[in-house]
Amino acid sequence: MPEVIASNSQGKPTLSEVQKIIAEFDEYHPPQDLSAAVEAIGIPTEGKGISQWSDRVQKLLVTLSDPDQYGVREHLRDLTTEVVYAHVLFDQPLEPAMGALTAAKSIAAPSATRKTEAPIDWTFLIRTARVQSLLSRQDSDYLQMRNPREYAVARAARRLADRGFPVEQERIQLSLSNESSTRLIERLEELIGELGGLNVLRELFRRAADKYDVSSERYMIVRDLGVRQIYAPDFPWGYLIALSAKHIFSRGNRRPTHEAWQDLVDLATDYSALHDVQDYSPPIFSQIPTDKLVATLTKRALYDSIHTFPQLRSSDVLRMLRPLLAQIPPDRAYGTGWTINDVFAVIEQLYRAIGDCRGPVTIDLRHVSKSVPGVAYSLAKHILIEVLSHPLTGPNSQFTRPTDQAVRGTDPLVGPGNSLYLRPLIRSDSKRAIVIDRSVAGPAIVEAVLSAIRGYEGADEFQGNVIGAGVETLIRWEFEQHGIAIYTGDYDTPAGQGECDVVLDEPGNVLFIESKAKPLTRNAANGNDVDVLLSLAGSVVAATEQSFGHEVRLRRYGELELYDKKANHTHILKWTDQDVDRIALSLYDFGFFQDQTAISKLVWPMLGARYNAIDPTVQATFKGQFEKLNEKVLPRLEGHLKIWQELGVKERDPFGFGSWFLSVPQLFALLDGVHGPAEFFARLGFLRNLTYQSYNFHHQLKYALDLKTARDARKTGPGQVHPI
């Protein structure tokens, strides 16, 4: 039988080579003669049954892949993707390659990316996999359940091709040509224009109504993931909302009929699926390797942008803004003479005008302006138009694709990229404006107000002196409102100085909170890898480094003497083997990245790596941020981990449960209904032990609280339930 030269990690076989190996093996050992095929790979069959043969073949597959188990699995996954794409999109034969590749992938998932210098005998491995496929005989449903992502993406691509938008395959990449992509976008915008952007928005929020949670004031758009189930592409809520808002004043001459609506939804869903950012099976069980970290993070961010949308409950808008802007004198005048108190009064009246409505609401700007208590009509109208409204060109005037990027130096309101969430009001003229939804207005109001004042105060000074101090004020105020004492201050240790933003110190528990105002930028949300990395580096990674350093020093030295210069107060924080939690606190939501497992999945792959941009221009633009990450944050994090290991701490993953990445709105939700530190730590402890893989903290919190309430009701009986 002809031989194929054994390949190492630099010479992995192509799909055509794999098919050739299988064809030659089958020629010499016909598939119907199972015992001959098994003996051909060196496994005796005498006195054994098929199940025993299969066990031995499986062990042989593990042995053959052992020098580089991770590399073998990754290459087999790529080959499987290539087979499925070619089969679904171009009607190429699925077998026998698919069965062999699926059998080979059944080797246990490696716990690390370790590999040796020993070569992989790919020829023998493929032959062995072919034998295993003959022994197992997987049916088509099994193959689809094992490869849900590949089939879902390929079928979306095939549907696009059948509708006249041909998709090109380059091994494991599917893409539309520039011409096809342009025609597809034009068709989407044509459909929205025919139906009317406002009509489409109304229909979108009507269909989202069953996902709305009244107590949270938000739509629970969550990923419904499970094991061994076949899933369809997720609905592209975010993309359709953004594109419809662009055409909000297009004059559709009819309500969305079922046929027209379905045409739009099908096309947008398949186009979104082609971006291949959706998880069709739970990703939580595997660690992200370092070389795939940035690409994985980018996909996570783009998923949120396409399939979800920002929200903030109305009660949290001023709950955020008042402490954030506490450093600004309330009578300081801006623009035409308005103050931040005037802005707050206008926001309150705007919410009264919106009412308890969901979906698009038309606002009479004159009526709102005339009815703001204590604010002159002209000032109120100026705030509504100049601070809270989009220009008359509307939002997203240059937005077409989910991956559209904002351009530095251009006006963010009228330049490229998704500008929808920068302002809450979309004006048709000087008299009327539309709010596309009450929950969606929240983030836009906060951004609009901060942006307006930033423009007068100066970006650097505003961010450092106002927002930095404002976040500290916000945290202190919130915990005080819930009867929880907090501490802050500088400390000295033999290893150097440190500064704790916030510490909760209660018997049996200690919590470190480090806050960072760095947001997930618009370009990060739309899939720019540099922006994703640096947004996370400047928020969760930097905050985790600081809080981890506090814990390590507390464990090492037994106590930290915190001196609060503002209050001229000292608090001695002692190590008593208590439970430790750490919260990295961001100002805004980061979506997927605030899942309970996010910090562990992010930090471990980053350790030992250093990052730079490939493009010299981009590298020069972000040089300072890269230097801070590479030369300060990551080395310090590695130093803390070394001490952690020297201390012999083994009871938990240092970046696992107990390490949180929360936004300010999520902290608000976490504190709702809490009275005192005991209830707060009980709630945190209950959440720490649960995960649902919905990648939506608000959904997980609600689910946990409902679960706890039901459990306590069973234990204590009616009327005796205690909150957590």
Side-chain angles (χ1 to χ4, degrees), residues 550-568:
H550 304 328
E551 179 180 350
V552 165
R553 289 166 183 162
L554 177 61
R555 287 175 178 270
R556 188 177 192 181
Y557 300 112
E559 68 176 34
L560 298 177
E561 185 176 308
L562 304 181
Y563 176 62
D564 184 348
K565 289 180 285 189
K566 292 181 180 179
N568 191 26

mmCIF file with all atom_site columns, all heavy atoms in Angstrom, residues 550-568:
data_model
loop_
_atom_site.group_PDB
_atom_site.id
_atom_site.type_symbol
_atom_site.label_atom_id
_atom_site.label_alt_id
_atom_site.label_comp_id
_atom_site.label_asym_id
_atom_site.label_entity_id
_atom_site.label_seq_id
_atom_site.pdbx_PDB_ins_code
_atom_site.Cartn_x
_atom_site.Cartn_y
_atom_site.Cartn_z
_atom_site.occupancy
_atom_site.B_iso_or_equiv
_atom_site.pdbx_formal_charge
_atom_site.auth_seq_id
_atom_site.auth_comp_id
_atom_site.auth_asym_id
_atom_site.auth_atom_id
_atom_site.pdbx_PDB_model_num
ATOM 1   N N   . HIS A 1 550 ? -3.791  43.223 46.170 1.00 0.00 ? 550 HIS A N   1
ATOM 2   C CA  . HIS A 1 550 ? -4.215  43.459 47.557 1.00 0.00 ? 550 HIS A CA  1
ATOM 3   C C   . HIS A 1 550 ? -4.390  42.139 48.296 1.00 0.00 ? 550 HIS A C   1
ATOM 4   O O   . HIS A 1 550 ? -3.924  41.992 49.436 1.00 0.00 ? 550 HIS A O   1
ATOM 5   C CB  . HIS A 1 550 ? -5.548  44.223 47.582 1.00 0.00 ? 550 HIS A CB  1
ATOM 6   C CG  . HIS A 1 550 ? -5.547  45.515 46.838 1.00 0.00 ? 550 HIS A CG  1
ATOM 7   N ND1 . HIS A 1 550 ? -4.433  46.308 46.724 1.00 0.00 ? 550 HIS A ND1 1
ATOM 8   C CD2 . HIS A 1 550 ? -6.556  46.160 46.166 1.00 0.00 ? 550 HIS A CD2 1
ATOM 9   C CE1 . HIS A 1 550 ? -4.732  47.394 46.023 1.00 0.00 ? 550 HIS A CE1 1
ATOM 10  N NE2 . HIS A 1 550 ? -6.005  47.312 45.661 1.00 0.00 ? 550 HIS A NE2 1
ATOM 11  N N   . GLU A 1 551 ? -5.054  41.175 47.667 1.00 0.00 ? 551 GLU A N   1
ATOM 12  C CA  . GLU A 1 551 ? -5.298  39.904 48.346 1.00 0.00 ? 551 GLU A CA  1
ATOM 13  C C   . GLU A 1 551 ? -3.997  39.172 48.641 1.00 0.00 ? 551 GLU A C   1
ATOM 14  O O   . GLU A 1 551 ? -3.808  38.623 49.738 1.00 0.00 ? 551 GLU A O   1
ATOM 15  C CB  . GLU A 1 551 ? -6.214  39.012 47.505 1.00 0.00 ? 551 GLU A CB  1
ATOM 16  C CG  . GLU A 1 551 ? -6.483  37.665 48.170 1.00 0.00 ? 551 GLU A CG  1
ATOM 17  C CD  . GLU A 1 551 ? -7.380  36.749 47.370 1.00 0.00 ? 551 GLU A CD  1
ATOM 18  O OE1 . GLU A 1 551 ? -7.969  37.203 46.369 1.00 0.00 ? 551 GLU A OE1 1
ATOM 19  O OE2 . GLU A 1 551 ? -7.492  35.556 47.750 1.00 0.00 ? 551 GLU A OE2 1
ATOM 20  N N   . VAL A 1 552 ? -3.097  39.150 47.667 1.00 0.00 ? 552 VAL A N   1
ATOM 21  C CA  . VAL A 1 552 ? -1.827  38.447 47.855 1.00 0.00 ? 552 VAL A CA  1
ATOM 22  C C   . VAL A 1 552 ? -1.042  39.052 49.013 1.00 0.00 ? 552 VAL A C   1
ATOM 23  O O   . VAL A 1 552 ? -0.480  38.336 49.861 1.00 0.00 ? 552 VAL A O   1
ATOM 24  C CB  . VAL A 1 552 ? -1.010  38.493 46.543 1.00 0.00 ? 552 VAL A CB  1
ATOM 25  C CG1 . VAL A 1 552 ? 0.439   38.115 46.803 1.00 0.00 ? 552 VAL A CG1 1
ATOM 26  C CG2 . VAL A 1 552 ? -1.603  37.552 45.512 1.00 0.00 ? 552 VAL A CG2 1
ATOM 27  N N   . ARG A 1 553 ? -0.996  40.381 49.077 1.00 0.00 ? 553 ARG A N   1
ATOM 28  C CA  . ARG A 1 553 ? -0.245  41.033 50.160 1.00 0.00 ? 553 ARG A CA  1
ATOM 29  C C   . ARG A 1 553 ? -0.916  40.823 51.507 1.00 0.00 ? 553 ARG A C   1
ATOM 30  O O   . ARG A 1 553 ? -0.229  40.656 52.532 1.00 0.00 ? 553 ARG A O   1
ATOM 31  C CB  . ARG A 1 553 ? -0.104  42.522 49.849 1.00 0.00 ? 553 ARG A CB  1
ATOM 32  C CG  . ARG A 1 553 ? 0.850   42.792 48.693 1.00 0.00 ? 553 ARG A CG  1
ATOM 33  C CD  . ARG A 1 553 ? 0.728   44.207 48.188 1.00 0.00 ? 553 ARG A CD  1
ATOM 34  N NE  . ARG A 1 553 ? 1.600   44.438 47.033 1.00 0.00 ? 553 ARG A NE  1
ATOM 35  C CZ  . ARG A 1 553 ? 1.463   45.442 46.192 1.00 0.00 ? 553 ARG A CZ  1
ATOM 36  N NH1 . ARG A 1 553 ? 0.476   46.315 46.348 1.00 0.00 ? 553 ARG A NH1 1
ATOM 37  N NH2 . ARG A 1 553 ? 2.294   45.586 45.173 1.00 0.00 ? 553 ARG A NH2 1
ATOM 38  N N   . LEU A 1 554 ? -2.256  40.819 51.530 1.00 0.00 ? 554 LEU A N   1
ATOM 39  C CA  . LEU A 1 554 ? -2.963  40.556 52.782 1.00 0.00 ? 554 LEU A CA  1
ATOM 40  C C   . LEU A 1 554 ? -2.654  39.154 53.276 1.00 0.00 ? 554 LEU A C   1
ATOM 41  O O   . LEU A 1 554 ? -2.386  38.944 54.473 1.00 0.00 ? 554 LEU A O   1
ATOM 42  C CB  . LEU A 1 554 ? -4.466  40.736 52.576 1.00 0.00 ? 554 LEU A CB  1
ATOM 43  C CG  . LEU A 1 554 ? -5.362  40.433 53.780 1.00 0.00 ? 554 LEU A CG  1
ATOM 44  C CD1 . LEU A 1 554 ? -5.030  41.351 54.944 1.00 0.00 ? 554 LEU A CD1 1
ATOM 45  C CD2 . LEU A 1 554 ? -6.835  40.570 53.393 1.00 0.00 ? 554 LEU A CD2 1
ATOM 46  N N   . ARG A 1 555 ? -2.680  38.178 52.388 1.00 0.00 ? 555 ARG A N   1
ATOM 47  C CA  . ARG A 1 555 ? -2.364  36.802 52.769 1.00 0.00 ? 555 ARG A CA  1
ATOM 48  C C   . ARG A 1 555 ? -0.910  36.682 53.218 1.00 0.00 ? 555 ARG A C   1
ATOM 49  O O   . ARG A 1 555 ? -0.598  35.962 54.175 1.00 0.00 ? 555 ARG A O   1
ATOM 50  C CB  . ARG A 1 555 ? -2.616  35.861 51.590 1.00 0.00 ? 555 ARG A CB  1
ATOM 51  C CG  . ARG A 1 555 ? -4.084  35.601 51.259 1.00 0.00 ? 555 ARG A CG  1
ATOM 52  C CD  . ARG A 1 555 ? -4.215  34.754 50.008 1.00 0.00 ? 555 ARG A CD  1
ATOM 53  N NE  . ARG A 1 555 ? -5.591  34.423 49.661 1.00 0.00 ? 555 ARG A NE  1
ATOM 54  C CZ  . ARG A 1 555 ? -6.248  33.351 50.073 1.00 0.00 ? 555 ARG A CZ  1
ATOM 55  N NH1 . ARG A 1 555 ? -5.638  32.480 50.875 1.00 0.00 ? 555 ARG A NH1 1
ATOM 56  N NH2 . ARG A 1 555 ? -7.489  33.125 49.699 1.00 0.00 ? 555 ARG A NH2 1
ATOM 57  N N   . ARG A 1 556 ? -0.027  37.373 52.544 1.00 0.00 ? 556 ARG A N   1
ATOM 58  C CA  . ARG A 1 556 ? 1.408   37.225 52.797 1.00 0.00 ? 556 ARG A CA  1
ATOM 59  C C   . ARG A 1 556 ? 1.841   37.883 54.107 1.00 0.00 ? 556 ARG A C   1
ATOM 60  O O   . ARG A 1 556 ? 2.639   37.313 54.866 1.00 0.00 ? 556 ARG A O   1
ATOM 61  C CB  . ARG A 1 556 ? 2.198   37.836 51.640 1.00 0.00 ? 556 ARG A CB  1
ATOM 62  C CG  . ARG A 1 556 ? 3.701   37.571 51.705 1.00 0.00 ? 556 ARG A CG  1
ATOM 63  C CD  . ARG A 1 556 ? 4.379   38.159 50.476 1.00 0.00 ? 556 ARG A CD  1
ATOM 64  N NE  . ARG A 1 556 ? 5.751   37.702 50.335 1.00 0.00 ? 556 ARG A NE  1
ATOM 65  C CZ  . ARG A 1 556 ? 6.576   38.092 49.356 1.00 0.00 ? 556 ARG A CZ  1
ATOM 66  N NH1 . ARG A 1 556 ? 6.134   38.953 48.438 1.00 0.00 ? 556 ARG A NH1 1
ATOM 67  N NH2 . ARG A 1 556 ? 7.807   37.627 49.289 1.00 0.00 ? 556 ARG A NH2 1
ATOM 68  N N   . TYR A 1 557 ? 1.302   39.087 54.359 1.00 0.00 ? 557 TYR A N   1
ATOM 69  C CA  . TYR A 1 557 ? 1.775   39.847 55.521 1.00 0.00 ? 557 TYR A CA  1
ATOM 70  C C   . TYR A 1 557 ? 0.805   39.835 56.692 1.00 0.00 ? 557 TYR A C   1
ATOM 71  O O   . TYR A 1 557 ? 1.130   40.333 57.774 1.00 0.00 ? 557 TYR A O   1
ATOM 72  C CB  . TYR A 1 557 ? 2.079   41.289 55.108 1.00 0.00 ? 557 TYR A CB  1
ATOM 73  C CG  . TYR A 1 557 ? 3.143   41.370 54.040 1.00 0.00 ? 557 TYR A CG  1
ATOM 74  C CD1 . TYR A 1 557 ? 2.823   41.795 52.762 1.00 0.00 ? 557 TYR A CD1 1
ATOM 75  C CD2 . TYR A 1 557 ? 4.458   40.989 54.311 1.00 0.00 ? 557 TYR A CD2 1
ATOM 76  C CE1 . TYR A 1 557 ? 3.800   41.853 51.765 1.00 0.00 ? 557 TYR A CE1 1
ATOM 77  C CE2 . TYR A 1 557 ? 5.432   41.037 53.330 1.00 0.00 ? 557 TYR A CE2 1
ATOM 78  C CZ  . TYR A 1 557 ? 5.095   41.461 52.052 1.00 0.00 ? 557 TYR A CZ  1
ATOM 79  O OH  . TYR A 1 557 ? 6.059   41.503 51.077 1.00 0.00 ? 557 TYR A OH  1
ATOM 80  N N   . GLY A 1 558 ? -0.378  39.276 56.499 1.00 0.00 ? 558 GLY A N   1
ATOM 81  C CA  . GLY A 1 558 ? -1.297  39.127 57.615 1.00 0.00 ? 558 GLY A CA  1
ATOM 82  C C   . GLY A 1 558 ? -2.190  40.309 57.878 1.00 0.00 ? 558 GLY A C   1
ATOM 83  O O   . GLY A 1 558 ? -3.242  40.156 58.503 1.00 0.00 ? 558 GLY A O   1
ATOM 84  N N   . GLU A 1 559 ? -1.790  41.488 57.429 1.00 0.00 ? 559 GLU A N   1
ATOM 85  C CA  . GLU A 1 559 ? -2.633  42.653 57.604 1.00 0.00 ? 559 GLU A CA  1
ATOM 86  C C   . GLU A 1 559 ? -2.208  43.776 56.666 1.00 0.00 ? 559 GLU A C   1
ATOM 87  O O   . GLU A 1 559 ? -1.060  43.820 56.204 1.00 0.00 ? 559 GLU A O   1
ATOM 88  C CB  . GLU A 1 559 ? -2.625  43.155 59.047 1.00 0.00 ? 559 GLU A CB  1
ATOM 89  C CG  . GLU A 1 559 ? -1.313  43.749 59.495 1.00 0.00 ? 559 GLU A CG  1
ATOM 90  C CD  . GLU A 1 559 ? -1.386  44.314 60.911 1.00 0.00 ? 559 GLU A CD  1
ATOM 91  O OE1 . GLU A 1 559 ? -2.120  43.739 61.748 1.00 0.00 ? 559 GLU A OE1 1
ATOM 92  O OE2 . GLU A 1 559 ? -0.708  45.323 61.171 1.00 0.00 ? 559 GLU A OE2 1
ATOM 93  N N   . LEU A 1 560 ? -3.148  44.652 56.373 1.00 0.00 ? 560 LEU A N   1
ATOM 94  C CA  . LEU A 1 560 ? -2.885  45.860 55.604 1.00 0.00 ? 560 LEU A CA  1
ATOM 95  C C   . LEU A 1 560 ? -3.445  47.036 56.384 1.00 0.00 ? 560 LEU A C   1
ATOM 96  O O   . LEU A 1 560 ? -4.601  47.013 56.820 1.00 0.00 ? 560 LEU A O   1
ATOM 97  C CB  . LEU A 1 560 ? -3.554  45.798 54.219 1.00 0.00 ? 560 LEU A CB  1
ATOM 98  C CG  . LEU A 1 560 ? -3.118  44.686 53.261 1.00 0.00 ? 560 LEU A CG  1
ATOM 99  C CD1 . LEU A 1 560 ? -3.956  44.754 51.975 1.00 0.00 ? 560 LEU A CD1 1
ATOM 100 C CD2 . LEU A 1 560 ? -1.636  44.783 52.935 1.00 0.00 ? 560 LEU A CD2 1
ATOM 101 N N   . GLU A 1 561 ? -2.633  48.056 56.567 1.00 0.00 ? 561 GLU A N   1
ATOM 102 C CA  . GLU A 1 561 ? -3.059  49.257 57.282 1.00 0.00 ? 561 GLU A CA  1
ATOM 103 C C   . GLU A 1 561 ? -3.491  50.301 56.258 1.00 0.00 ? 561 GLU A C   1
ATOM 104 O O   . GLU A 1 561 ? -2.660  50.946 55.610 1.00 0.00 ? 561 GLU A O   1
ATOM 105 C CB  . GLU A 1 561 ? -1.924  49.787 58.150 1.00 0.00 ? 561 GLU A CB  1
ATOM 106 C CG  . GLU A 1 561 ? -2.320  50.960 59.017 1.00 0.00 ? 561 GLU A CG  1
ATOM 107 C CD  . GLU A 1 561 ? -1.199  51.392 59.941 1.00 0.00 ? 561 GLU A CD  1
ATOM 108 O OE1 . GLU A 1 561 ? -0.656  50.523 60.665 1.00 0.00 ? 561 GLU A OE1 1
ATOM 109 O OE2 . GLU A 1 561 ? -0.843  52.588 59.927 1.00 0.00 ? 561 GLU A OE2 1
ATOM 110 N N   . LEU A 1 562 ? -4.794  50.457 56.103 1.00 0.00 ? 562 LEU A N   1
ATOM 111 C CA  . LEU A 1 562 ? -5.338  51.358 55.094 1.00 0.00 ? 562 LEU A CA  1
ATOM 112 C C   . LEU A 1 562 ? -5.500  52.756 55.683 1.00 0.00 ? 562 LEU A C   1
ATOM 113 O O   . LEU A 1 562 ? -6.225  52.950 56.663 1.00 0.00 ? 562 LEU A O   1
ATOM 114 C CB  . LEU A 1 562 ? -6.703  50.866 54.609 1.00 0.00 ? 562 LEU A CB  1
ATOM 115 C CG  . LEU A 1 562 ? -6.782  49.443 54.047 1.00 0.00 ? 562 LEU A CG  1
ATOM 116 C CD1 . LEU A 1 562 ? -8.210  49.141 53.604 1.00 0.00 ? 562 LEU A CD1 1
ATOM 117 C CD2 . LEU A 1 562 ? -5.824  49.278 52.891 1.00 0.00 ? 562 LEU A CD2 1
ATOM 118 N N   . TYR A 1 563 ? -4.840  53.718 55.059 1.00 0.00 ? 563 TYR A N   1
ATOM 119 C CA  . TYR A 1 563 ? -4.946  55.102 55.524 1.00 0.00 ? 563 TYR A CA  1
ATOM 120 C C   . TYR A 1 563 ? -5.721  55.914 54.502 1.00 0.00 ? 563 TYR A C   1
ATOM 121 O O   . TYR A 1 563 ? -5.295  56.077 53.349 1.00 0.00 ? 563 TYR A O   1
ATOM 122 C CB  . TYR A 1 563 ? -3.570  55.720 55.751 1.00 0.00 ? 563 TYR A CB  1
ATOM 123 C CG  . TYR A 1 563 ? -3.639  57.185 56.135 1.00 0.00 ? 563 TYR A CG  1
ATOM 124 C CD1 . TYR A 1 563 ? -4.280  57.570 57.313 1.00 0.00 ? 563 TYR A CD1 1
ATOM 125 C CD2 . TYR A 1 563 ? -3.103  58.169 55.309 1.00 0.00 ? 563 TYR A CD2 1
ATOM 126 C CE1 . TYR A 1 563 ? -4.372  58.910 57.671 1.00 0.00 ? 563 TYR A CE1 1
ATOM 127 C CE2 . TYR A 1 563 ? -3.189  59.510 55.657 1.00 0.00 ? 563 TYR A CE2 1
ATOM 128 C CZ  . TYR A 1 563 ? -3.829  59.876 56.837 1.00 0.00 ? 563 TYR A CZ  1
ATOM 129 O OH  . TYR A 1 563 ? -3.923  61.193 57.178 1.00 0.00 ? 563 TYR A OH  1
ATOM 130 N N   . ASP A 1 564 ? -6.870  56.424 54.910 1.00 0.00 ? 564 ASP A N   1
ATOM 131 C CA  . ASP A 1 564 ? -7.727  57.261 54.071 1.00 0.00 ? 564 ASP A CA  1
ATOM 132 C C   . ASP A 1 564 ? -7.354  58.720 54.313 1.00 0.00 ? 564 ASP A C   1
ATOM 133 O O   . ASP A 1 564 ? -7.704  59.304 55.343 1.00 0.00 ? 564 ASP A O   1
ATOM 134 C CB  . ASP A 1 564 ? -9.193  57.005 54.425 1.00 0.00 ? 564 ASP A CB  1
ATOM 135 C CG  . ASP A 1 564 ? -10.154 57.765 53.522 1.00 0.00 ? 564 ASP A CG  1
ATOM 136 O OD1 . ASP A 1 564 ? -9.705  58.652 52.787 1.00 0.00 ? 564 ASP A OD1 1
ATOM 137 O OD2 . ASP A 1 564 ? -11.367 57.468 53.574 1.00 0.00 ? 564 ASP A OD2 1
ATOM 138 N N   . LYS A 1 565 ? -6.644  59.311 53.356 1.00 0.00 ? 565 LYS A N   1
ATOM 139 C CA  . LYS A 1 565 ? -6.153  60.674 53.532 1.00 0.00 ? 565 LYS A CA  1
ATOM 140 C C   . LYS A 1 565 ? -7.302  61.680 53.631 1.00 0.00 ? 565 LYS A C   1
ATOM 141 O O   . LYS A 1 565 ? -7.233  62.635 54.408 1.00 0.00 ? 565 LYS A O   1
ATOM 142 C CB  . LYS A 1 565 ? -5.234  61.045 52.366 1.00 0.00 ? 565 LYS A CB  1
ATOM 143 C CG  . LYS A 1 565 ? -3.903  60.321 52.389 1.00 0.00 ? 565 LYS A CG  1
ATOM 144 C CD  . LYS A 1 565 ? -3.028  60.724 51.220 1.00 0.00 ? 565 LYS A CD  1
ATOM 145 C CE  . LYS A 1 565 ? -3.514  60.074 49.933 1.00 0.00 ? 565 LYS A CE  1
ATOM 146 N NZ  . LYS A 1 565 ? -2.566  60.282 48.811 1.00 0.00 ? 565 LYS A NZ  1
ATOM 147 N N   . LYS A 1 566 ? -8.350  61.502 52.843 1.00 0.00 ? 566 LYS A N   1
ATOM 148 C CA  . LYS A 1 566 ? -9.458  62.458 52.863 1.00 0.00 ? 566 LYS A CA  1
ATOM 149 C C   . LYS A 1 566 ? -10.164 62.464 54.210 1.00 0.00 ? 566 LYS A C   1
ATOM 150 O O   . LYS A 1 566 ? -10.539 63.517 54.730 1.00 0.00 ? 566 LYS A O   1
ATOM 151 C CB  . LYS A 1 566 ? -10.448 62.126 51.752 1.00 0.00 ? 566 LYS A CB  1
ATOM 152 C CG  . LYS A 1 566 ? -9.904  62.353 50.352 1.00 0.00 ? 566 LYS A CG  1
ATOM 153 C CD  . LYS A 1 566 ? -10.973 62.027 49.309 1.00 0.00 ? 566 LYS A CD  1
ATOM 154 C CE  . LYS A 1 566 ? -10.429 62.242 47.904 1.00 0.00 ? 566 LYS A CE  1
ATOM 155 N NZ  . LYS A 1 566 ? -11.447 61.897 46.867 1.00 0.00 ? 566 LYS A NZ  1
ATOM 156 N N   . ALA A 1 567 ? -10.370 61.293 54.777 1.00 0.00 ? 567 ALA A N   1
ATOM 157 C CA  . ALA A 1 567 ? -11.085 61.193 56.048 1.00 0.00 ? 567 ALA A CA  1
ATOM 158 C C   . ALA A 1 567 ? -10.150 61.206 57.246 1.00 0.00 ? 567 ALA A C   1
ATOM 159 O O   . ALA A 1 567 ? -10.614 61.231 58.391 1.00 0.00 ? 567 ALA A O   1
ATOM 160 C CB  . ALA A 1 567 ? -11.926 59.925 56.074 1.00 0.00 ? 567 ALA A CB  1
ATOM 161 N N   . ASN A 1 568 ? -8.830  61.172 56.965 1.00 0.00 ? 568 ASN A N   1
ATOM 162 C CA  . ASN A 1 568 ? -7.826  61.079 58.034 1.00 0.00 ? 568 ASN A CA  1
ATOM 163 C C   . ASN A 1 568 ? -8.166  59.931 58.986 1.00 0.00 ? 568 ASN A C   1
ATOM 164 O O   . ASN A 1 568 ? -8.241  60.085 60.202 1.00 0.00 ? 568 ASN A O   1
ATOM 165 C CB  . ASN A 1 568 ? -7.735  62.401 58.802 1.00 0.00 ? 568 ASN A CB  1
ATOM 166 C CG  . ASN A 1 568 ? -6.522  62.433 59.725 1.00 0.00 ? 568 ASN A CG  1
ATOM 167 O OD1 . ASN A 1 568 ? -5.520  61.745 59.475 1.00 0.00 ? 568 ASN A OD1 1
ATOM 168 N ND2 . ASN A 1 568 ? -6.608  63.224 60.796 1.00 0.00 ? 568 ASN A ND2 1
#
